[in-house]
Amino acid sequence: MRSYRYVVCDVFTDRPLEGNQLAVFTDARELSEELLQPLARETNFSETVFVYPASGEGHARIRIFTPVVEVPFAGHPTLGTAFVLGGPLQLHEIHLETGAGVVPVRLEREGARIVFGWMSQPLPTVEPYEGEAALLDALGIERSELPVELYDNGLRHVYVCLGSPEEVARLRPDVNRLAELPAVLGINTFAGSGTRWKTRVFAPAGGVAEDPATGSAAGPLAVHLVRHGRVQPGQEIEISQGAEIGRPSKLHARVDGAPDAVERVEVGGSAVIVARGEFRL
């Protein structure tokens, strides 16, 4: 048997046992391809990361798996891996090679301890979502306050705006029907105003009924708000997520550029390492 070491961290929180759980296999070179998806299913977190030596311009290459599928990019795995690797490497900025390109993460420290990170995400494309009627019906709501649009930054997310954070909290969607919706991984419902927003993200097609914190969705949400005049370019917003499933999370996001010409999307948050272990296979 061989041993494969991993680290567990809680992402988009500074408190253990909150935020979004992540397993990071810090050296996946000896893992066979056939073991990657079963290991991700075994951890059963929203995502699991496997770290490899860099193949290009990054400090390391990462592969990201949900319990059922590999994805080219995701936010909380990228940020969490930056915390895990950035400490031993003593870096103030780490560049991670993902399936959607190199993602830089700036790391803020208090002494030797990393306390916050900002990742520059791939710029998303946007298009109208053709399955709006079926989506709203599966969510159990009649309408969205903003256009229902599909964003793609390596993951495909659709956005539905409700009238208040309380309406978001009360949602009881039919997750089986959500899983059948075409060409989308994350269904994002949100509400708020100014710099404070609440969101719930359902991703049953990826094996996650409800996600505690979705970094890949936070950036496009900020873009969506800027494009539709709810937030000004350059304004930092705070996003609350995960309370309904007992994993409260805080995400930060900002967009530079103009509503019709986004230049940069950044998503930030904290993370804490809570466990280390190994699989013997």
Side-chain angles (χ1 to χ4, degrees):
M1 293 189 296
R2 293 184 176 181
S3 296
Y4 305 102
R5 295 181 178 179
Y6 66 92
V7 176
V8 176
C9 56
D10 294 334
V11 187
F12 290 116
T13 182
D14 58 4
R15 296 168 59 90
L17 310 183
E18 297 184 0
N20 202 350
Q21 300 156 291
L22 175 71
V24 180
F25 286 81
T26 52
D27 185 354
R29 287 175 295 177
E30 299 299 319
L31 278 167
S32 69
E33 185 73 20
E34 292 74 18
L35 283 175
L36 302 184
Q37 189 66 70
L39 279 169
R41 188 166 55 245
E42 182 76 9
T43 68
N44 204 35
F45 297 155
S46 296
E47 277 103 3
T48 296
V49 168
F50 300 94
V51 179
Y52 298 87
S55 59
E57 301 176 355
H59 293 97
R61 180 171 66 92
I62 63 174
R63 293 177 66 183
I64 304 169
F65 287 75
T66 78
V68 298
V69 66
E70 183 176 7
V71 295
F73 168 74
H76 102 272
T78 303
L79 183 64
T81 303
F83 271 72
V84 170
L85 300 182
L89 294 175
Q90 301 181 13
L91 296 172
H92 292 283
E93 181 169 298
I94 184 169
H95 293 191
L96 297 175
E97 299 173 5
T98 75
V102 177
V103 177
V105 184
R106 297 194 319 277
L107 300 171
E108 301 175 2
R109 298 174 182 267
E110 291 180 356
R113 185 170 67 94
I114 302 171
V115 295
F116 202 87
W118 281 103
M119 63 181 139
S120 295
Q121 294 192 338
L123 297 182
T125 61
V126 58
E127 62 187 77
Y129 183 62
E130 301 298 333
E132 178 176 345
L135 170 60
L136 296 181
D137 191 50
L139 287 171
I141 61 176
E142 294 183 356
R143 60 184 294 272
S144 174
E145 302 289 325
L146 293 176
V148 177
E149 293 177 316
L150 177 65
Y151 289 76
D152 189 340
N153 62 358
L155 288 181
R156 295 166 65 86
H157 288 280
V158 63
Y159 292 83
V160 177
C161 182
L162 277 66
S164 70
E166 292 74 21
E167 290 181 46
V168 176
R170 289 196 300 266
L171 281 175
R172 296 295 183 268
D174 185 332
V175 293
N176 291 325
R177 291 173 62 193
L178 290 179
E180 297 172 356
L181 294 173
V184 63
L185 183 62
I187 293 96
N188 296 259
T189 59
F190 67 95
S193 62
T195 61
R196 298 293 180 93
W197 296 82
K198 176 181 177 62
T199 187
R200 292 177 68 187
V201 180
F202 307 99
V208 181
E210 182 168 355
D211 201 30
T214 316
S216 61
L221 173 58
V223 174
H224 194 58
L225 294 171
V226 167
R227 289 183 58 245
H228 294 290
R230 298 294 183 95
V231 172
Q232 295 301 309
Q235 185 176 28
E236 181 181 327
I237 63 171
E238 181 182 283
I239 303 165
S240 300
Q241 187 179 340
E244 287 73 21
I245 54 174
R247 304 286 307 193
S249 308
K250 294 289 184 187
L251 304 87
H252 299 257
R254 60 187 175 216
V255 173
D256 292 331
D260 58 351
V262 171
E263 297 174 359
R264 183 170 60 177
V265 178
E266 291 188 307
V267 172
S270 299
V272 288
I273 293 173
V274 296
R276 302 177 187 272
E278 65 181 17
F279 277 85
R280 296 179 180 180
L281 305 172

